[in-house]
Each structure stands twice: as structure tokens, then as C-alpha cells.
Amino acid sequence: MDIAFLAGAKFENKIYFSAMNMNALFCFDCDTRDVKYIRDFDKENIKECIHSCACLYKDTIWFIPWEGKYIAKVDVKTYQIEYLEIPEFNGYGYRDFVVYKEKYLFLIPSGISVEHLLMVDMDNFTIENCGVVSPKGHAHCAGAFVDGDKINVVSAGGEIYSTYDAITHKVEIVGNAYPSGFQSLLRAPDKIILIPKDNDEIRILDLNGQVLDTFSCGNNFYFGTLIGTVAWAFPFDKNRKAVCLNLEDKKKKYYEKELCLNKDAGNWLNVRTLPSDDSDCWVVTSFGEIWRVNEDFEILEGCILVIDEEEERRILEKKSNEGRLMDSFSGVVNEGIGLATLRNYIYTIENQ
């Protein structure tokens, strides 16, 4: 059974992730390449994408909700999960975050269904609604960055839209809302790199929001990553071309790289980089492929994520013993939604 995810983090050479199209926490061993089921996110229902991304903090991973209703704190030593309910939730949630003073996790609203900035104290396990920082509806924000004691939220138009002061706890709207344009951003120490989806350029800002440079690259990108001084914009939807920008090359080195996917399941492609407790860079695709890459985006190692039949049956038996078997068959007719293939569905029914 193939499996995919976008939200995960690497800790002690294992990648813990929230699977797409199901409601479960898994572990990928970077040495053996085994994929193991850990447990369900008990408070959530099966969705296409419960979590959008994850933050690594000490011995915990904080999964940030997209279609889910809770922030999930996973202790990677005990596999215990604690939940913080998202206030003002309705539909789709958060796809970006920043960390302030090492322990304050700020969830950046997408603007699609949520507009409030949320602050989580990861030591005290509390959540605070900081106010409206993103335009709600068709207009949205690209992401945010920390500058001193301020959280600056950048609009899809590529300018600072709002600022939250972490000292005074006040929000100031300083820019304009835009319906489309830049989809996400990368945070370098002294500059911001904006990733385009609906326009045709990468834009670089200073921390005051002033444009430093632009580079024409075409459109249909979504996320990206920063490896040292090299910024990458990852393709989205039908695009299969990543673009690279060296931030310190005097010749402003820029080039394109076609992604060679071993598994291409259709039009909609998304690519994300995982937080890690070491210097390795691991990247996942929405089709269930995982790679370790270098700054030139050469694949050093990689594989397709698969749950073997023995592991799948172990999961079903565990769920059956816990009285939660039917949680696995949400979409058994259309394999991929839920936690069981049709073969193991039949096997389970025959052996009840």
C-alpha cells in the first residue's frame, strides 16, 4: 500500500509524519527504509490532508493543521499525543509557521478560511489568539518572518501586509490584500525570498519589505527550501521544473532542474522540505516519494513510501483489538482514502 505525506520532521534518523488520506502517525526509518504505523491522531477524522507541516522542538514534533482541528504535540520518546484546539477554525487552516525566541510557535493563517495569528507556548502548552493578520477569503498571505520582536506577515502581492508586535501584543495593518501571486516564502538571515504561483518571478525583499531583486522564472510554484545560500522553488500542479537561485553568487547564478519522479500519480504535485535535528535535507512529494538531497538538488538517496502487507494487517489487527476497525475503511472503494487496501479489507472481513 502506497502512502504519502507533507507534514513531518526528522529526529534521530527517523522521520515521523502525518499521512495524507488517512488519520495516522507513521515513522520512516532513514537507515532501513521501513515504514511503521505508530498510532492514530485520535481526536481527528480522516481527511485528505489533516496536517500541512510540522515543527521540531526538543523531543517533540508539533503537527500544524490544514484540514484538522487541532495542533498535535507528539512526544517522539513515548509516542504520546496532546492536542490544542484551533480557535476560529472553519475549513482550511495553516500552512506556515515561525518560531520566536526559540519556544513560541506562531501559526501563520493561509487566509483561505482563517485570518488569525496564533501563538503557542511550547513549554507551557498554551495557545493564544493574537488577532487578525491575514485577509480572509480569496486574498491570502504568502507567509511571515520574524524581525526582532515583530512578526511580519507578507501578502500574496509580495509586500508586508501586517505586523504583530510580540512586546505590545498589537497588530497593525500596513499593506494591501492581494488575491494571488506569491504562494510562500523562504527566510534567509537578512532577506526574504518569495515563491510565485500566479505570477512569473521570484522576488527578494529585505527585512523592511523593500524589493532587492527579482528573477523571471515562470509560474506554478508553491513551496521551496533554503540549503545554505541556495534557494529552491519547488514545482506545483502540472509543473515538474524546480528553479535554483544562489543568493551569494556575484553572477546571480540561476538555473532550472527538471524533477525526475519515480512515481507521478497525476497533475497535482506538491513538494516540501522536512525540519531536521541534523544538517541533512530531506524532501517529500505529495505522490509518496522521499529524497535526501544536496544544495544542487541531486538525489543522494530516496525511495517510494510503501506499507507492506504484513504491516498493514498488523495495523488492522491492532485497530480491531481497540474497537476502532471501521476507522480504517473510510474510502475503501477508492483506495487511498483510509488505511486499508481492498485486499486487506476482504481479508479482515473474512477473519472477523
Side-chain angles (χ1 to χ4, degrees):
M1 180 182 177
D2 293 345
I3 194 169
F5 74 95
L6 292 176
K10 180 171 178 280
F11 181 81
E12 294 184 348
N13 223 33
K14 292 183 178 180
I15 293 171
Y16 298 90
F17 66 88
S18 171
M20 296 175 68
N21 297 327
M22 60 182 73
N23 172 19
L25 175 68
F26 285 83
C27 175
F28 170 77
D29 191 308
C30 299
D31 292 324
T32 66
R33 300 190 178 185
D34 290 335
V35 178
K36 297 295 183 183
Y37 166 81
I38 297 176
R39 59 176 298 176
D40 286 356
F41 292 98
D42 297 325
K43 288 200 171 187
E44 299 285 7
N45 296 318
I46 295 175
K47 299 286 185 180
E48 182 179 0
C49 185
I50 292 177
H51 303 110
S52 64
C53 52
C55 174
L56 180 62
Y57 181 65
K58 297 180 180 178
D59 294 342
T60 60
I61 298 174
W62 299 69
F63 286 93
I64 294 168
W66 179 243
E67 292 182 276
K69 295 182 178 180
Y70 302 88
I71 302 167
K73 173 191 173 184
V74 176
D75 186 317
V76 293
K77 300 294 186 181
T78 65
Y79 296 153
Q80 295 301 304
I81 302 179
E82 296 178 84
Y83 298 90
L84 283 172
E85 188 170 4
I86 295 293
E88 305 292 334
F89 176 83
N90 181 24
Y92 296 93
Y94 298 82
R95 61 172 178 236
D96 191 21
F97 67 88
V98 295
V99 177
Y100 168 69
K101 290 192 174 180
E102 298 185 350
K103 73 166 189 172
Y104 296 104
L105 173 65
F106 280 90
L107 275 60
I108 313 303
S110 66
I112 295 173
S113 298
V114 291
E115 55 191 351
H116 293 82
L117 179 71
L118 301 180
M119 182 183 73
V120 177
D121 184 327
M122 292 187 286
D123 282 341
N124 296 317
F125 198 64
T126 58
I127 187 168
E128 178 181 338
N129 189 335
C130 299
V132 174
V133 298
S134 176
K136 188 175 181 180
H138 186 49
H140 62 271
C141 66
F145 64 94
V146 178
D147 182 21
D149 293 314
K150 292 184 177 181
I151 313 299
N152 293 319
V153 178
V154 180
S155 73
E159 65 177 22
I160 295 176
Y161 173 77
S162 64
T163 295
Y164 172 77
D165 191 311
I167 303 300
T168 65
H169 306 288
K170 292 182 178 180
V171 173
E172 182 181 5
I173 305 298
V174 297
N176 300 302
Y178 290 85
S180 62
F182 297 102
Q183 191 69 25
S184 65
L185 56 81
L186 304 175
R187 293 168 278 267
D190 60 347
K191 57 179 67 74
I192 302 301
I193 303 95
L194 296 172
I195 307 297
K197 179 177 177 289
D198 297 316
N199 56 19
D200 63 356
E201 68 178 26
I202 291 176
R203 183 178 297 178
I204 301 178
L205 308 178
D206 64 19
L207 298 187
N208 294 316
Q210 299 302 307
V211 178
L212 297 175
D213 219 333
T214 59
F215 296 87
S216 179
C217 64
N219 58 16
N220 229 1
F221 301 89
Y222 205 102
F223 294 117
T225 192
L226 192 61
I227 310 175
T229 61
V230 177
W232 283 93
F234 295 147
F236 177 68
D237 196 23
K238 296 180 182 180
N239 183 20
R240 298 295 182 265
K241 174 188 69 178
V243 295
C244 166
L245 182 65
N246 192 317
L247 301 177
E248 293 190 0
D249 193 306
K250 292 182 179 180
K251 297 179 181 180
K252 297 179 180 176
K253 184 179 179 182
Y254 168 89
Y255 63 91
E256 302 174 352
K257 187 179 185 77
E258 193 79 15
L259 295 190
C260 297
L261 300 169
N262 291 308
K263 181 182 177 185
D264 197 333
N267 290 337
W268 185 82
L269 170 68
N270 216 328
V271 182
R272 293 219 78 164
T273 307
L274 304 177
S276 176
D277 63 345
D278 59 25
S279 60
D280 286 347
C281 182
W282 286 83
V283 174
V284 297
T285 78
S286 53
F287 298 147
E289 202 161 349
I290 186 166
W291 306 319
R292 184 170 68 89
V293 300
N294 60 17
E295 67 176 17
D296 294 322
F297 219 75
E298 296 171 331
I299 299 175
L300 305 178
E301 56 181 304
C303 70
I304 295 173
L305 295 169
V306 177
I307 305 172
D308 62 32
E309 194 164 323
E310 181 180 348
E311 175 66 5
E312 187 180 336
R313 289 185 180 175
R314 183 187 73 83
I315 298 169
L316 296 178
E317 289 173 2
K318 183 176 186 294
K319 284 175 168 284
S320 179
N321 292 335
E322 295 171 353
R324 297 183 296 110
L325 183 61
M326 293 312 297
D327 293 347
S328 303
F329 301 125
S330 165
V332 71
V333 175
N334 179 14
E335 293 188 31
I337 307 294
L339 196 59
T341 58
L342 183 57
R343 177 187 299 177
N344 269 336
Y345 173 76
I346 295 171
Y347 169 86
T348 304
I349 295 301
E350 289 177 342
N351 287 275
Q352 284 296 296

